[in-house]
Amino acid sequence: MTDFTWSELDERAVKMAKVLSADAVERAGHGHPGSPVSLAPIAYTLYQRYIKHDPNDPHWDGRDRFILSGGHASLTQYVQLYFSGYGLTLDDLKYFRGGADTRTPGHPEYGLTPGIEMTTGPLGQGLASAVGFAYGQRFERGLLDPDAPEGASPFDHKVWVICGEGDVEEGVSSEASSLAGNQKLGNLTVIFDANHIQIEGDTKLTFSEDILKRYEAYGWYTDEVSFIQPDGSYKEDVQALAAALDKAEKVTDRPKFIKVDTLIAWPTPGKTNNEASHGSKLGAEAVAGLKKILGFDPEVDFPIDEEALAHARKVAERGLEAHKEWDEKFAQWRKANPDKAALYDRLKAGDLPEGFDKAIDDVESGFESGSKVATRKASGVVLNAIAAVMPELWGGSADLGGSNNTNIKGAKSFGPSADATRTWPETSEYGRQLHFGVREFAMGAITNGIILGSDTRPFNGTFFQFSDYERPAVRLAALMQIPNLYVWTHDSVALGEDGPTHQPIEHLTAFRAVPQLEVVRPADEYETAEAYRAFFEKKNTLPTAMILTRQGVPALAETAEKAREGVRKGAYVLVDAEGTPDVIIIATGSEVQWAVEAARTLSADGVKARVVSMPSMEWFEEQDAEYKEEVLPRSVKARVSVEAGLAMPWYKYIGDYGKAVSIEQYGLQGDGAQNMIDLGITAEHVVEAAKASIEDAKAA
Amino acid sequence: MTDFTWSELDERAVKMAKVLSADAVERAGHGHPGSPVSLAPIAYTLYQRYIKHDPNDPHWDGRDRFILSGGHASLTQYVQLYFSGYGLTLDDLKYFRGGADTRTPGHPEYGLTPGIEMTTGPLGQGLASAVGFAYGQRFERGLLDPDAPEGASPFDHKVWVICGEGDVEEGVSSEASSLAGNQKLGNLTVIFDANHIQIEGDTKLTFSEDILKRYEAYGWYTDEVSFIQPDGSYKEDVQALAAALDKAEKVTDRPKFIKVDTLIAWPTPGKTNNEASHGSKLGAEAVAGLKKILGFDPEVDFPIDEEALAHARKVAERGLEAHKEWDEKFAQWRKANPDKAALYDRLKAGDLPEGFDKAIDDVESGFESGSKVATRKASGVVLNAIAAVMPELWGGSADLGGSNNTNIKGAKSFGPSADATRTWPETSEYGRQLHFGVREFAMGAITNGIILGSDTRPFNGTFFQFSDYERPAVRLAALMQIPNLYVWTHDSVALGEDGPTHQPIEHLTAFRAVPQLEVVRPADEYETAEAYRAFFEKKNTLPTAMILTRQGVPALAETAEKAREGVRKGAYVLVDAEGTPDVIIIATGSEVQWAVEAARTLSADGVKARVVSMPSMEWFEEQDAEYKEEVLPRSVKARVSVEAGLAMPWYKYIGDYGKAVSIEQYGLQGDGAQNMIDLGITAEHVVEAAKASIEDAKAA
């Protein structure tokens, strides 16, 4: 905006924001007051003048998105939400970091507080996911309104971020920022609060880099505004900030990084530019001093300057107007684009497209029992079939697309429209094939942002081993309960000669441990197809990891018959004995074949073995007690688990007399099939374990 | 070096390196030939002229360290090790990616192959750990020879890295490179192989940043050498490379980053500058073509140009000479510095200092049963006591030093000697207080490098939650079996109002799952002190994580008495009933107090309860069967586990009739003590669970 006016009422509102932030932490007794105090003029300027939003409709599609990457400074945002009229009350501010029922928790939580676009706190991820928000906006525009001139579409909106030093120190922000520059994301503006203080001292202690130069190197537009004046005085120069923002708004071919030099907690006496104000309450004396300096009565807590508040609240009127304008634009678009409007409605409803089931059925009809196909390959075939009917599906890999089978055939790559220097593959600004380079963590964070910021459905892949790099973003997806989809291939020592650095051992356990994450390890191509069907059919589903083999595994006659009903239940009886089984063998993924073979051998020896395929413990746990008892009757004490990973998650299912056929050490250099044998994952071992378990159970 | 001569024999050796690399992958049938072929002249130049090494003594203290960050290009290094005479044979090259007994595995493995300084493969970590090698060199010099002029000490050596695009894409390299610049690590030189190919296409697809500018922004010296000539032709211009390296060697106040523009697999016909050469064998035709171009008989596999090999082997003579010179320097130093020589000998032997036990005993004598002290605080006190007698101990945090209690009192911070712009804290180039900024992953990788590159002992801390960010480096430490020490505090929902983003739930499970990692969660200050004693007393110990509370926990009379014997065994009987117990309650960390309280309540109800404190499952598993049976007699079926985390790791110990008092969901906003109650971690629940377990066991 170019007509930036700043009245005395604005000034007073900013002062009130500072004091309310200080008071909120003071009342809680803990929290992070410093940044909210010094960020107040910046956040106020954004919320009042730059961010397009309608406080009366926090879910308005046309809104700009704002992400506070340094979530510990949550009051920065809470106060502006209160000022803007999101329904957040003064009582909410008074209940900052209160009990489990607070709407103003220590760190912003997605789904809890109106106006909060994502959960932040783990540093770097807010900025990285904001890049994903910007990806999502562009791709969704491409789906719904690709030909509109820039800025003319109802699907044009901007993404705003405030981040701090900790955010840009974290590697994930480096990864994502490099991609943002590469993608020329002109809809993304980052305000970097350089307050020169980290918990352990002067930021120069660990952060002496030239951050603007670094962002220029990534291909960003950069600018700097200093509130620290050349003469050493401090002035919250919102005019200079506005001038920089106006200049940046004209740049539409690059993401924008604006450094603002601040002094933390300014002008709190004794606590300004002092790390003590970062993560502890300022103390009664300092707060009183701050109030005095800012013209408030030191004796009054949570003082409200009603006039300034009323002034700030006017942003809601402006928001309503913008929303109305948008509604018209949207109505016009809807009228002119009935097909796309139908797509829009389906995306909003979260419905599957017509033809979804058929697409999977068709794929399955091409499978052949007995043929040996890696589940990663089956996954690629299924994803492609789904992609053919589901334009909102897009995704890619951290530079392992061919290996992960995450390539969408014939799709263009997501990339800036004009890039003459790039030789291949072919790109389009609306392309649906994503490429992340070797940046797993950013991949996880960006796909989180895509889900949060659009109604499109991304997937992302890497080797299962390198899910470790991505893990913090996976946790955040699970905490937010957003349906990210991980395609993690090369899932065991059977990947072979890349050796122990690449062979997952503990990963199944470590991800099953993550609450609200669903881990699915299909046995063959049938189970793979049904795993995807179940994932997409679930509404409000949780983030889900598909764990897939590098090596070929036989398509089983039993899964062909039973996977459709069984996979979605997490576990099902794949092979049964007549009458009560002597032993139950539970297996997942590539080990199901050994369980089936073992059951055959046992049967020949007169032992009645049931084989349970358990692609997903989480899905199984969601079933009712009756079904669980049906699959794993308590009366059968002899049990064996078979999985090319740790036994840890299996003790729960195999009980006191059970035996786990597992791997409890790092993998081996060498041929994959040989590794499996050397580490004891064989049908013979399953047979032995079954017999031993039957003996033990009898002896008891 | 300034007298760079390059003979026809050097040229022939490089050609042979290319052909051997191609043949090795061809014979294996898989692997990464492209980079080893195009990197051959660079690696040869380094190994022959720049890296100071003695192939006859790969462990020579005075050697430079070389790290191949892109471990997939392992042949780059194997061929040079073979050329240099490290004992690696042609048969080893022929057995590349062979069986479990190969010395030339897919990715270099620490401890397996002479001349390999660390395990690489997970991208970015080689470069990041190399920064740690450089840290370690400087700190160790400070311990042993602080006053020697630059370059004059036997403890002056250099660190060399070859890395690729994937390495600098990974965020961990950004974090570590920023720190390397901040620390002005003049002993570190990185050769960046820009081959413009990533698996999914032209690197510009995801990597269009100006990498030299980025490294300049970090404060590095940069230079570029292009093998791609202005006219488009390709020339492996080792003279230009040497000129750049010579120029860089004169720069001693900054780390150095030299970009070399190459074409992958050059000059392999059809596979040069082609991503197909990255991760698959070149194919018989291409290899034959390569041999022809380079003057070898296409029919001969693994051709040896004996004259060129003999020429290359001369590097061992030069190495021997350098070693001899160093021996003299070292002898002089030893003579002049008897005290430091004694320290050197102790470090080499891996012995503890005199006074180690007393230091811990003294701390313990200051503990008071019943007083409530957070284990993180106890940890800080113990670490400080150990630091007072153990000058090789250094460490720090990812900007949470005060919270993690990882500050060494009175210690100077590790930082470049002259930094007038930094205001606080006080730094010294040999300071022992580390600061990582908010960069957990780099912290893990750098401390790995410190351990690998020196005989000093680092520790590093963050909130337990953010161990997720560090996890890939922890795994690599475990795989390499190096004794990194993690101080992870704020270990449960009891941390309170920072909320679910900061509250670990799954982390104990996820780290217990990592093979060769030891996880220790002490109950109180006594157990904390004994945990450190046990860790340091173990020779060749594994990486170990201390999991510590934010909140105060009572120092127990029982641990005061039994922790010294018990903690090192991983689990021990803390409170016992007379005769055979009715139930065994197993607890860790802050929950031990509730187990003890529950036992008291049960006793009052006539139930005989045994309490087992189990600070470390891994240490317990290392005990003999007799001890395990003594602590957890199989005959006692009624069991309860109590831990403010998942039940998953406990099923193994509690069995069919056991009950887990656990947390199976994300944490809560709110007061920490209240969170524990709300999530059911109370003595009352333990009592209930114990009674229920006794009932179940009886009913069976």
Side-chain angles (χ1 to χ4, degrees):
Chain A
M1 56 174 299
T2 44
D3 57 337
F4 189 80
T5 56
W6 186 262
S7 72
E8 191 235 342
L9 284 171
D10 291 316
E11 198 69 36
R12 279 161 53 188
V14 167
K15 286 176 179 170
M16 178 165 52
K18 287 174 184 275
V19 167
L20 290 177
S21 299
D23 269 346
V25 174
E26 210 61 21
R27 184 178 187 111
H30 38 75
H32 299 78
S35 298
V37 168
S38 40
L39 279 170
I42 299 168
Y44 182 82
T45 300
L46 287 179
Y47 265 87
Q48 290 285 321
R49 311 297 168 87
Y50 287 90
I51 301 173
K52 189 170 69 177
H53 62 129
D54 177 3
N56 290 302
D57 184 1
H59 298 290
W60 171 35
D61 254 352
R63 76 192 184 281
D64 286 354
R65 269 63 165 181
F66 171 78
I67 293 121
L68 180 73
S69 190
H72 58 272
S74 55
L75 278 166
T76 304
Q77 194 170 3
Y78 295 149
V79 170
Q80 295 308 322
L81 294 176
Y82 166 61
F83 278 8
S84 303
Y86 275 81
L88 216 62
T89 66
L90 191 61
D91 281 342
D92 286 318
L93 296 183
K94 288 180 181 170
Y95 199 45
F96 174 62
R97 289 171 71 98
D101 56 340
T102 183
R103 294 205 299 169
T104 50
H107 296 83
E109 290 179 25
Y110 175 67
L112 177 69
T113 315
I116 298 297
E117 304 281 359
M118 78 171 280
T119 298
T120 54
L123 289 176
Q125 290 198 62
L127 173 50
S129 289
V131 173
F133 276 79
Y135 271 53
Q137 182 275 322
R138 191 169 87 196
F139 180 73
E140 194 164 58
R141 179 195 213 276
L143 278 185
L144 299 172
D145 202 12
D147 302 324
E150 199 166 294
S153 168
F155 305 102
D156 287 324
H157 67 251
K158 291 175 185 157
V159 181
W160 303 88
V161 178
I162 292 180
C163 74
E165 278 127 341
D167 289 302
V168 298
E169 288 173 9
E170 288 287 4
V172 66
S173 65
S174 298
E175 294 176 9
S177 297
S178 177
L179 286 168
N182 180 273
Q183 289 288 346
K184 303 183 193 292
L185 299 174
N187 58 346
L188 174 64
T189 305
V190 174
I191 313 270
F192 169 58
D193 173 36
N195 65 25
H196 308 101
I197 287 288
Q198 60 189 355
I199 295 177
E200 296 182 3
D202 185 335
T203 45
K204 289 206 191 79
L205 184 61
T206 75
F207 184 70
S208 50
E209 63 185 58
D210 181 340
I211 185 72
L212 294 186
K213 194 170 185 179
R214 186 177 121 197
Y215 270 80
E216 280 161 26
Y218 294 141
W220 290 49
Y221 167 88
T222 69
D223 200 356
E224 181 166 9
V225 175
S226 186
F227 288 177
I228 305 162
Q229 304 303 312
D231 65 0
S233 68
Y234 193 79
K235 182 189 168 196
E236 290 179 333
D237 192 346
V238 288
Q239 297 292 349
L241 174 64
L245 289 170
D246 289 346
K247 216 171 135 202
E249 283 216 275
K250 293 194 189 99
V251 177
T252 58
D253 63 346
R254 275 169 293 165
K256 292 151 274 187
F257 187 87
I258 297 171
K259 180 183 180 197
V260 185
D261 297 286
T262 65
L263 291 178
I264 193 167
W266 187 86
T268 315
K271 294 289 173 87
T272 299
N273 196 26
N274 181 333
E275 93 292 357
S277 72
H278 170 86
S280 308
K281 60 180 186 166
L282 298 169
E285 195 186 343
V287 173
L290 176 68
K291 287 178 182 169
K292 232 165 155 176
I293 288 170
L294 298 178
F296 291 90
D297 182 346
E299 301 293 311
V300 177
D301 285 349
F302 294 93
I304 296 303
D305 179 335
E306 291 290 355
E307 215 180 344
L309 180 62
H311 176 73
R313 282 274 157 91
K314 283 188 193 147
V315 75
E317 291 164 31
R318 296 194 293 276
L320 202 64
E321 226 166 276
H323 195 152
K324 272 187 195 157
E325 267 174 45
W326 182 90
D327 283 343
E328 261 172 57
K329 202 189 274 186
F330 180 75
Q332 282 168 12
W333 166 83
R334 184 178 263 288
K335 207 169 153 193
N337 299 278
D339 288 356
K340 296 207 184 290
L343 174 60
Y344 174 88
D345 292 338
R346 181 171 69 72
L347 297 188
K348 277 286 143 204
D351 289 336
L352 288 175
E354 255 185 80
F356 174 84
D357 262 327
K358 185 172 179 302
I360 294 182
D361 292 345
D362 287 352
V363 166
E364 286 187 354
S365 71
F367 293 161
E368 261 180 73
S369 289
S371 71
K372 256 185 137 174
V373 177
T375 54
R376 66 174 165 139
K377 286 210 174 143
S379 164
V381 172
V382 175
L383 277 174
N384 269 279
I386 297 172
V389 295
M390 204 166 160
E392 70 270 29
L393 184 70
W394 57 318
S397 158
D399 202 32
L400 292 167
S403 298
N404 300 141
N405 293 78
T406 47
N407 292 340
I408 303 177
K409 272 175 206 136
K412 284 190 188 167
S413 293
F414 184 73
S417 51
D419 190 348
T421 66
R422 186 177 296 162
T423 54
W424 61 288
E426 202 184 342
T427 60
S428 151
E429 60 183 322
Y430 303 139
R432 68 195 297 200
Q433 183 70 59
L434 286 164
H435 304 273
F436 296 97
V438 191
R439 302 180 184 92
E440 298 84 3
F441 192 0
M443 175 171 72
I446 286 172
T447 45
N448 283 349
I450 288 171
I451 295 169
L452 293 165
S454 77
D455 292 303
T456 70
R457 297 292 298 266
F459 62 86
N460 70 90
T462 182
F463 287 161
F464 191 25
Q465 178 62 237
F466 300 117
S467 62
D468 272 357
Y469 278 59
E470 191 176 1
R471 185 174 177 89
V474 177
R475 188 186 208 254
L476 213 47
L479 191 55
M480 293 189 285
Q481 307 193 49
I482 57 172
N484 211 333
L485 173 59
Y486 309 100
V487 181
W488 289 334
T489 71
H490 296 61
D491 70 346
S492 76
V493 298
L495 66 83
E497 295 86 354
D498 274 337
T501 54
H502 284 53
Q503 293 168 0
I505 298 294
E506 71 277 24
H507 298 72
L508 280 165
T509 300
F511 281 102
R512 286 180 183 140
V514 177
Q516 298 172 190
L517 175 71
E518 315 214 277
V519 177
V520 188
R521 188 169 184 251
D524 64 2
E525 47 189 9
Y526 293 109
E527 282 201 0
T528 304
E530 292 306 328
Y532 278 110
R533 194 196 311 257
F535 168 76
F536 281 106
E537 281 186 358
K538 277 189 166 192
K539 272 206 178 186
N540 307 316
T541 191
L542 298 171
T544 300
M546 299 292 176
I547 314 297
L548 305 163
T549 67
R550 171 180 188 250
Q551 78 277 19
V553 285
L556 302 171
E558 293 85 354
T559 55
E561 191 192 328
K562 299 176 182 168
R564 175 132 197 193
E565 281 308 301
V567 166
R568 65 187 53 233
K569 293 181 178 165
Y572 62 104
V573 178
L574 189 68
V575 174
D576 211 0
E578 264 188 58
T580 305
D582 299 318
V583 62
I584 302 176
I585 305 170
I586 321 172
T588 78
S590 52
E591 286 70 73
V592 170
Q593 59 181 311
W594 309 132
V596 172
E597 189 184 319
R600 240 178 261 130
T601 308
L602 286 165
S603 169
D605 292 355
V607 177
K608 291 186 287 180
R610 164 181 288 189
V611 175
V612 170
S613 177
M614 191 183 271
S616 173
M617 289 182 179
E618 294 80 12
W619 289 356
F620 183 60
E621 291 299 334
E622 289 163 15
Q623 305 307 309
D624 59 28
E626 196 182 347
Y627 181 73
K628 286 190 209 171
E629 174 66 20
E630 197 182 294
V631 176
L632 299 176
R634 254 165 296 184
S635 61
V636 184
K637 299 284 184 201
R639 297 183 179 195
V640 176
S641 66
V642 205
E643 189 172 73
L646 300 183
M648 199 194 286
W650 290 104
Y651 290 110
K652 179 179 177 181
Y653 296 105
I654 60 175
D656 282 355
Y657 309 104
K659 308 282 172 197
V661 176
S662 67
I663 302 177
E664 307 292 327
Q665 61 167 82
Y666 285 111
L668 301 172
Q669 175 60 34
D671 173 72
Q674 190 60 46
N675 286 345
M676 282 289 209
I677 294 166
D678 290 349
L679 292 165
I681 307 296
T682 63
E684 291 70 39
H685 267 105
V686 176
V687 169
E688 276 172 38
K691 290 182 176 173
S693 182
I694 291 169
E695 280 306 303
D696 281 10
K698 261 189 205 150
Chain B
M1 58 172 301
T2 45
D3 57 336
F4 189 81
T5 57
W6 185 262
S7 71
E8 190 236 342
L9 285 172
D10 292 315
E11 199 68 36
R12 279 161 54 187
V14 167
K15 287 176 177 170
M16 178 165 52
K18 287 173 184 276
V19 167
L20 290 178
S21 299
D23 269 347
V25 174
E26 210 61 21
R27 184 178 187 114
H30 38 75
H32 298 78
S35 297
V37 168
S38 41
L39 279 170
I42 298 168
Y44 182 83
T45 301
L46 287 179
Y47 266 87
Q48 290 285 320
R49 311 297 167 88
Y50 288 90
I51 301 172
K52 190 170 68 178
H53 61 130
D54 176 3
N56 291 301
D57 183 2
H59 299 289
W60 169 34
D61 255 352
R63 75 191 184 282
D64 287 353
R65 268 65 164 181
F66 170 79
I67 294 122
L68 181 73
S69 191
H72 57 273
S74 54
L75 279 166
T76 304
Q77 194 169 4
Y78 295 150
V79 170
Q80 295 308 322
L81 294 175
Y82 165 61
F83 277 8
S84 303
Y86 275 81
L88 216 63
T89 65
L90 191 62
D91 280 342
D92 287 318
L93 295 184
K94 289 179 180 170
Y95 199 45
F96 174 63
R97 290 172 71 99
D101 56 340
T102 183
R103 293 206 298 169
T104 50
H107 296 83
E109 291 179 25
Y110 176 68
L112 177 70
T113 316
I116 298 297
E117 304 281 0
M118 79 171 280
T119 298
T120 53
L123 289 176
Q125 290 199 61
L127 174 50
S129 289
V131 172
F133 276 79
Y135 271 54
Q137 182 275 323
R138 191 169 88 196
F139 181 74
E140 193 164 60
R141 182 196 211 274
L143 278 184
L144 299 172
D145 202 11
D147 303 323
E150 200 167 292
S153 167
F155 305 103
D156 288 325
H157 67 251
K158 291 174 184 156
V159 181
W160 303 88
V161 177
I162 292 179
C163 74
E165 277 126 341
D167 289 302
V168 299
E169 288 173 7
E170 288 287 4
V172 65
S173 65
S174 298
E175 295 177 7
S177 297
S178 177
L179 286 168
N182 180 271
Q183 290 287 347
K184 303 184 193 291
L185 298 174
N187 58 345
L188 174 65
T189 304
V190 174
I191 313 270
F192 169 59
D193 173 35
N195 65 27
H196 308 100
I197 287 287
Q198 59 189 356
I199 295 177
E200 296 182 3
D202 185 334
T203 46
K204 289 205 192 81
L205 183 61
T206 75
F207 184 69
S208 51
E209 63 186 57
D210 182 341
I211 186 72
L212 293 186
K213 194 171 185 178
R214 185 177 124 198
Y215 270 81
E216 280 160 27
Y218 295 141
W220 289 49
Y221 167 89
T222 69
D223 201 356
E224 181 166 10
V225 175
S226 186
F227 287 176
I228 305 162
Q229 304 303 311
D231 65 0
S233 69
Y234 194 77
K235 182 189 168 196
E236 289 178 334
D237 192 346
V238 289
Q239 296 292 348
L241 174 63
L245 289 170
D246 289 347
K247 217 173 134 200
E249 283 215 275
K250 292 194 189 95
V251 177
T252 57
D253 63 346
R254 275 169 292 166
K256 292 150 277 188
F257 186 87
I258 297 169
K259 180 184 181 198
V260 185
D261 297 287
T262 65
L263 292 178
I264 195 169
W266 188 86
T268 315
K271 295 289 172 89
T272 298
N273 196 26
N274 182 331
E275 92 293 356
S277 73
H278 171 87
S280 307
K281 61 179 185 168
L282 298 169
E285 194 186 343
V287 173
L290 176 68
K291 286 177 182 170
K292 233 167 155 176
I293 288 169
L294 298 177
F296 291 90
D297 181 346
E299 301 293 311
V300 178
D301 285 350
F302 294 92
I304 296 303
D305 179 335
E306 291 291 353
E307 217 181 340
L309 180 61
H311 176 72
R313 281 276 157 89
K314 283 188 194 146
V315 73
E317 290 165 33
R318 297 194 293 276
L320 202 65
E321 229 167 273
H323 196 152
K324 271 186 194 159
E325 267 175 45
W326 183 89
D327 283 344
E328 262 173 56
K329 203 191 272 188
F330 180 73
Q332 282 167 13
W333 167 83
R334 182 177 266 288
K335 210 170 148 189
N337 299 279
D339 288 356
K340 297 208 183 290
L343 173 59
Y344 174 89
D345 292 339
R346 181 171 70 72
L347 296 188
K348 277 285 143 204
D351 290 336
L352 289 173
E354 256 186 79
F356 174 83
D357 263 327
K358 186 173 177 303
I360 293 182
D361 292 346
D362 287 352
V363 166
E364 287 189 353
S365 70
F367 292 162
E368 260 179 75
S369 289
S371 69
K372 256 186 138 174
V373 178
T375 53
R376 65 174 166 139
K377 287 212 174 141
S379 165
V381 171
V382 175
L383 278 174
N384 268 279
I386 297 172
V389 296
M390 204 166 159
E392 71 271 30
L393 184 70
W394 56 320
S397 159
D399 203 32
L400 293 166
S403 297
N404 300 142
N405 294 78
T406 47
N407 292 341
I408 303 177
K409 272 175 205 135
K412 285 190 187 165
S413 293
F414 185 73
S417 50
D419 190 347
T421 66
R422 186 177 296 162
T423 54
W424 61 287
E426 201 183 343
T427 59
S428 150
E429 59 184 323
Y430 303 139
R432 69 194 298 197
Q433 182 69 59
L434 285 164
H435 304 272
F436 296 98
V438 191
R439 302 181 184 92
E440 298 83 3
F441 192 0
M443 176 171 73
I446 287 172
T447 46
N448 283 349
I450 289 171
I451 294 168
L452 293 165
S454 76
D455 292 304
T456 69
R457 295 294 296 267
F459 61 87
N460 70 89
T462 183
F463 286 162
F464 191 25
Q465 178 63 238
F466 300 117
S467 62
D468 272 357
Y469 280 58
E470 191 176 2
R471 185 174 176 91
V474 176
R475 186 185 210 255
L476 213 46
L479 191 55
M480 292 189 287
Q481 307 193 46
I482 57 172
N484 211 333
L485 173 58
Y486 309 101
V487 181
W488 288 334
T489 72
H490 296 60
D491 71 346
S492 77
V493 297
L495 66 83
E497 294 87 353
D498 274 337
T501 54
H502 284 55
Q503 293 167 0
I505 299 292
E506 71 278 24
H507 298 73
L508 280 164
T509 300
F511 281 102
R512 284 178 183 141
V514 177
Q516 298 174 189
L517 175 71
E518 315 213 277
V519 177
V520 188
R521 188 168 184 250
D524 64 0
E525 47 189 9
Y526 293 109
E527 283 201 359
T528 304
E530 292 306 328
Y532 279 110
R533 194 196 311 257
F535 169 76
F536 282 105
E537 281 185 357
K538 277 189 166 192
K539 274 206 176 187
N540 307 316
T541 190
L542 297 171
T544 300
M546 299 293 176
I547 313 297
L548 304 164
T549 67
R550 172 180 189 250
Q551 78 277 20
V553 286
L556 301 171
E558 293 84 353
T559 56
E561 191 191 328
K562 297 175 182 167
R564 175 130 197 195
E565 282 307 302
V567 167
R568 66 187 52 232
K569 293 179 178 165
Y572 61 104
V573 178
L574 190 68
V575 174
D576 212 358
E578 263 187 58
T580 306
D582 299 318
V583 61
I584 301 177
I585 306 168
I586 322 172
T588 77
S590 51
E591 286 70 73
V592 171
Q593 58 181 313
W594 309 131
V596 171
E597 191 184 316
R600 241 178 260 131
T601 307
L602 287 164
S603 170
D605 292 353
V607 177
K608 290 184 289 179
R610 165 182 288 190
V611 175
V612 169
S613 176
M614 191 182 272
S616 174
M617 290 182 178
E618 294 81 12
W619 289 356
F620 183 61
E621 291 299 333
E622 289 163 16
Q623 305 306 309
D624 58 29
E626 195 184 347
Y627 180 74
K628 288 191 209 170
E629 174 66 20
E630 198 183 294
V631 175
L632 299 176
R634 254 165 296 184
S635 59
V636 183
K637 299 285 182 199
R639 297 184 179 196
V640 176
S641 66
V642 204
E643 189 172 73
L646 301 182
M648 199 195 286
W650 290 105
Y651 290 110
K652 179 179 177 182
Y653 295 106
I654 61 175
D656 282 356
Y657 309 106
K659 308 283 171 195
V661 177
S662 67
I663 302 177
E664 306 293 326
Q665 60 166 83
Y666 284 111
L668 301 171
Q669 175 59 34
D671 173 73
Q674 190 59 46
N675 286 345
M676 282 289 209
I677 293 166
D678 290 348
L679 292 165
I681 307 296
T682 63
E684 291 69 39
H685 267 105
V686 176
V687 169
E688 275 171 38
K691 288 182 177 172
S693 182
I694 290 168
E695 280 307 302
D696 281 9
K698 259 190 208 148

